[in-house]
Amino acid sequence: MLTIDKLNFSYGDLKVLWDIDLEVHQGEIVSVVGANGAGKSTTLKNISRLVRPASGTTTFLGENLASLASHQVVERGIVQVPEGRKIFPEMTVMENLLMGSYLKSTRKDRKGNLERVFTLFPRLKEREKQLGGTMSGGEQQMLAIARGLMANPKLLLLDEPSLGLSPLFVKIIFEIIQEINRQGVTILLVEQNVYQSLKIANRAYVLETGRVVLAGGGQELLGNEHVKKAFLGM
Ligand SMILES: Nc1ncnc2c1ncn2[C@@H]1O[C@H](COP(=O)(O)OP(=O)(O)OP(=O)(O)O)[C@@H](O)[C@H]1O
Ligand SMILES: [Mg+2]
């Protein structure tokens, strides 16, 4: 579905991604794990075309993304839920959700998508009229994911959805990611919660200082000695 081939990227003089190769197949949950500053968010931003790579090719469903603007990438079905939630704090839950379907192509599915996200997140239905900024951290994360779903993703890019959440919310968020996947959405998940994200991943990549140093099945990487030492404190 998504193929990244030898992606290189720099912020000015600072090179942060080196020859990244990464694949996501239809129907998978693929996790990218790595320490702070490893380049996880930058990889997602390159896919969404929020930044432009120095070299390398990214194709989605056979189409090279190089000539596309970020809104066109969304129209193709790649939707990113950014790190730190970035909901609109002065807008209600409903208004935030409707912002997720601002594209013409997704507007016609608004009603069905609203029903779908309210079934996934009953808490958002209860809080439809509440201002986004007054919701708890976990609720704001739910809203950010729900807003992403309003754009009809084929591939959902999730950047650290469990960051800063209580153990109960972490559990709920990981269950919801799996449920969204069962509903047919392919997932590329960036996480520092290495244990949980490898556990639910079909396949995963380990990034270290901008390079892919390990790739394999989620379960396989959970058992990997380097992963255990570096990320699981074992
Ligand atoms: N806008 C920017 N300008 C300059 N350097 C940046 C910018 N954004 C990120 N960087 C640098 O690029 C490197 C990779 O950052 P990135 O945000 O991709 O890491 P990450 O793996 O997502 O980290 P974290 O887990 O902390 O979110 C870091 O060294 C960071 O300081
Ligand atoms: Mg990041």
Side-chain angles (χ1 to χ4, degrees):
M1 186 182 215
L2 179 83
T3 307
I4 301 178
D5 186 34
K6 297 228 165 349
L7 171 68
N8 286 275
F9 177 80
S10 306
Y11 287 110
D13 293 336
L14 179 70
K15 183 149 184 191
V16 294
L17 298 179
W18 308 73
D19 287 333
I20 302 287
D21 289 331
L22 189 152
E23 270 190 46
V24 181
H25 307 139
Q26 185 115 32
E28 282 188 315
I29 298 178
V30 173
S31 292
V32 176
V33 300
N36 291 122
K40 304 181 297 297
S41 297
T42 305
T43 301
L44 294 188
K45 285 178 193 160
N46 272 276
I47 299 170
S48 312
R49 305 282 300 158
L50 296 171
V51 297
R52 303 284 133 113
S55 65
T57 339
T58 302
T59 57
F60 180 67
L61 298 172
E63 182 182 18
N64 190 333
L65 300 184
S67 61
L68 301 187
S70 52
H71 74 272
Q72 294 173 308
V73 172
V74 179
E75 283 173 305
R76 299 302 190 274
I78 302 180
V79 175
Q80 179 166 359
V81 178
E83 189 177 347
R85 296 151 206 156
K86 308 244 163 49
I87 56 139
F88 303 106
E90 303 296 338
M91 289 179 147
T92 65
V93 166
M94 181 59 96
E95 287 163 347
N96 267 278
L97 290 174
L98 295 179
M99 289 302 284
S101 61
Y102 71 96
L103 288 175
K104 218 175 176 179
S105 52
T106 56
R107 235 173 279 161
K108 63 175 173 13
D109 299 319
R110 251 182 192 175
K111 207 164 160 267
N113 280 334
L114 272 177
E115 275 170 30
R116 174 188 181 200
V117 302
F118 285 147
T119 306
L120 268 174
F121 302 101
R123 203 184 271 250
L124 294 182
K125 172 81 188 150
E126 290 160 20
R127 281 147 211 268
E128 219 176 292
K129 296 192 182 72
Q130 190 172 327
L131 291 183
T134 64
M135 309 250 286
S136 78
E139 289 165 354
Q140 289 188 27
Q141 185 59 64
M142 289 177 175
L143 180 55
I145 295 174
R147 188 181 57 188
L149 291 175
M150 292 298 292
N152 268 351
K154 295 187 177 104
L155 173 64
L156 188 64
L157 311 178
L158 294 171
D159 195 349
E160 310 252 16
S162 82
L163 190 69
L165 303 189
S166 69
L168 176 65
F169 264 99
V170 170
K171 188 164 171 278
I172 294 173
I173 290 291
F174 276 98
E175 279 167 6
I176 280 169
I177 293 169
Q178 288 176 287
E179 176 57 27
I180 292 168
N181 178 250
R182 278 193 293 271
Q183 291 181 2
V185 181
T186 306
I187 309 260
L188 181 58
L189 171 66
V190 160
E191 263 292 339
Q192 284 187 55
N193 189 327
V194 174
Y195 177 73
Q196 289 289 348
S197 60
L198 291 183
K199 219 173 107 184
I200 68 164
N202 298 103
R203 292 185 308 103
Y205 295 83
V206 179
L207 267 191
E208 278 175 19
T209 52
R211 291 181 173 83
V212 173
V213 294
L214 273 173
Q219 289 300 326
E220 179 190 346
L221 290 185
L222 266 182
N224 178 280
E225 285 308 318
H226 177 70
V227 171
K228 283 200 217 168
K229 268 209 201 86
F231 300 109
L232 303 174
M234 290 158 83

